Amino acid sequence: MMAVQSKRYTVEEFDELVMLPENADKLLEYVGGEIVEVVSNNYSSKIAMRIGARLVLFVEEKGLGHVTGADGGYKVLGER
């Protein structure tokens, strides 16, 4: 999640901010007085896991290396 503002908001201020037209397409949450934008949703997470599962099976079957999540870190190597 990404913080939208570092200012502390009341629940009422959050409700008003969420209703603004410029925020209509954003998924915003109120967490401990801060407003955070949710960058994903359940549907996209489900699709990502289905793709990831198939990718892991393919990579392991072919002996191509390993698969990690987005935070796994990568080192790109030249041609073998």
Side-chain angles (χ1 to χ4, degrees):
M1 286 189 260
M2 171 190 277
V4 174
Q5 299 285 338
S6 59
K7 172 190 170 197
R8 294 270 188 209
Y9 289 89
T10 65
V11 173
E12 292 79 17
E13 290 172 321
F14 170 73
D15 289 340
E16 290 174 13
L17 190 93
V18 169
M19 298 306 292
L20 294 174
E22 60 265 26
N23 294 325
D25 294 334
K26 296 180 182 174
L27 296 173
L28 300 174
E29 292 184 356
Y30 181 79
V31 180
E34 294 184 7
I35 299 171
V36 293
E37 184 174 359
V38 179
V39 295
S40 186
N41 61 48
N42 289 341
Y43 180 73
S44 62
S45 292
K46 180 179 177 180
I47 297 300
M49 283 304 300
R50 294 182 87 169
I51 292 169
R54 288 181 173 94
L55 183 60
V56 167
L57 292 174
F58 178 82
V59 168
E60 288 179 352
E61 179 183 303
K62 304 291 183 186
L64 298 174
H66 62 275
V67 178
T68 68
D71 298 324
Y74 300 91
K75 181 176 181 180
V76 179
L77 304 174
E79 292 185 37
R80 293 185 200 181

